[in-house]
Amino acid sequence: MRRSVLILTIALLFVTCGLTAHTLPVVSSPGEQARFVVRHQTVNVEVYNHLVRTTVSQLVFNDGDEEMPCHFDLYLPRGAHASSLTAEVDGKKYVGRIETKQAAREIVEKSREQKKAAALAEERDGVLHVELSQVKAGQEFLFTVSYIQEAEYSDGAFNYYFGIQRFNKEMKLPDSFLMNLRMDCTTDIVSATSSTHTLVGGLNGTNASFEVEDIGIIEKDFHFAYMLHLKPGEPEVMMLDQANEDPYFCMLSLPPEAPAEAASRSLVVILDKSGSMRSGDSC
């Protein structure tokens, strides 16, 4: 168990990003022409009222003839927070742990010297940068990262975007690319549509499930819009308790249709006619 903790370490830099870019991770080799191939790519989108969790998984293969480091760069949406990072190497799954930047860097360097796989993730000018210490020649590994954001709200609808146009031009496109979308809300879903891609699935009250077709063919950023049955002034409270992260709750509410009436005022006059009021120092 202790060895697993040391294998993958996340620096304490998962903070709000200031970019509006939404893209897939770009895989590269430092100082080298890209030697890595993304064999399979999956994007799972989970909608919880106004919150959206995006999980990107990439099966990456070292197509070179020598062991080398591997870097990932993921541009997070504005206001998004990375929530988890995992890697599966040689059939073993390693879960990221939050550490200080210095401690994480020391663990990665030590693991590299010992020829062990280690990863460091840190935010750099709005980009989540991930370093995997060593990948053997001919080896493949599964890299998964999740982030949470608020959907953009305008004209009564929530909007979600995911960029697929930007990709490392030195790399081949993934052999396969899947994208799935699931909704689990506390109020009925009025509508769910995409202006860019075909959704296969349907709505069922507060839940919905879709598979995004032609995601790997049409070179367009994915756009998803949905409307919820929200009543002005009535909050929707959601509690999330999942095994892979700390539980939390969130509240969504539209403002009342009309401003609340001003509170009425009353004036009370009290006359004190007691004997003590007759003294010269009374007021």
Side-chain angles (χ1 to χ4, degrees):
M1 175 61 71
R2 181 170 179 78
R3 183 175 182 275
S4 297
V5 172
L6 295 179
I7 292 298
L8 188 65
T9 306
I10 306 178
L12 188 59
L13 286 172
F14 281 163
V15 295
T16 300
C17 299
L19 297 183
T20 57
H22 308 246
T23 96
L24 291 165
V26 174
V27 186
S28 63
S29 305
E32 298 277 351
Q33 185 177 3
R35 301 289 180 86
F36 294 96
V37 177
V38 179
R39 288 182 165 176
H40 181 68
Q41 193 159 256
T42 302
V43 178
N44 289 311
V45 181
E46 301 167 87
V47 178
Y48 303 100
N49 285 357
H50 62 304
L51 298 180
V52 183
R53 178 195 287 112
T54 303
T55 302
V56 182
S57 297
Q58 291 185 330
L59 185 62
V60 182
F61 175 70
N62 181 357
D63 198 30
D65 55 2
E66 60 183 14
E67 185 174 314
M68 65 182 67
C70 183
H71 290 182
F72 294 82
D73 287 305
L74 176 65
Y75 294 78
L76 296 177
R78 184 184 301 276
H81 294 265
S83 59
S84 67
L85 172 67
T86 63
E88 293 184 27
V89 185
D90 293 333
K92 295 182 180 180
K93 183 176 182 178
Y94 303 104
V95 181
R97 187 184 72 186
I98 295 177
E99 289 283 359
T100 63
K101 182 177 180 180
Q102 181 178 357
R105 178 66 65 180
E106 291 176 354
I107 292 174
V108 170
E109 294 300 331
K110 183 177 180 180
S111 298
R112 181 179 289 127
E113 293 174 359
Q114 298 175 353
K115 301 298 182 181
K116 295 179 181 178
L120 170 68
E122 54 188 336
E123 188 272 330
R124 295 180 178 179
D125 298 326
V127 181
L128 180 64
H129 178 76
V130 182
E131 298 179 17
L132 191 62
S133 60
Q134 297 293 329
V135 179
K136 298 177 182 178
Q139 184 182 50
E140 69 177 16
F141 63 94
L142 182 65
F143 169 82
T144 302
V145 62
S146 296
Y147 60 88
I148 298 175
Q149 68 186 97
E150 284 191 71
E152 299 178 8
Y153 184 76
S154 62
D155 298 327
F158 294 91
N159 295 273
Y160 168 83
Y161 302 89
F162 185 85
I164 58 176
Q165 292 190 80
R166 283 210 223 173
F167 200 78
N168 190 341
K169 296 182 179 180
E170 296 180 354
M171 295 182 62
K172 298 179 181 179
L173 293 176
D175 295 335
S176 62
F177 186 6
L178 300 177
M179 187 171 189
N180 299 297
L181 192 148
R182 183 173 63 87
M183 304 180 70
D184 185 6
C185 303
T186 59
T187 186
D188 286 342
I189 303 168
V190 178
S191 64
T193 59
S194 173
S195 61
T196 56
H197 295 76
T198 303
L199 301 179
V200 179
L203 306 177
N204 183 18
T206 61
N207 300 303
S209 181
F210 299 101
E211 181 179 338
V212 183
E213 284 196 339
D214 51 47
I215 191 69
I217 301 176
I218 301 178
E219 295 183 358
K220 294 181 180 179
D221 289 344
F222 175 70
H223 170 240
F224 178 68
Y226 62 97
M227 298 181 67
L228 301 178
H229 183 61
L230 299 173
K231 297 180 180 179
E234 295 187 15
E236 293 290 336
V237 179
M238 170 170 284
M239 300 184 66
L240 294 176
D241 186 1
Q242 300 186 356
N244 59 343
E245 60 188 4
D246 292 335
Y248 62 94
F249 76 93
C250 56
M251 184 178 71
L252 172 65
S253 179
L254 295 180
E257 293 180 343
E261 296 182 1
S264 60
R265 297 181 180 180
S266 60
L267 179 63
V268 179
V269 178
I270 300 177
L271 299 178
D272 189 348
K273 300 174 63 177
S274 62
S276 62
M277 298 301 293
R278 296 179 182 177
S279 59
D281 56 352
S282 297
C283 58

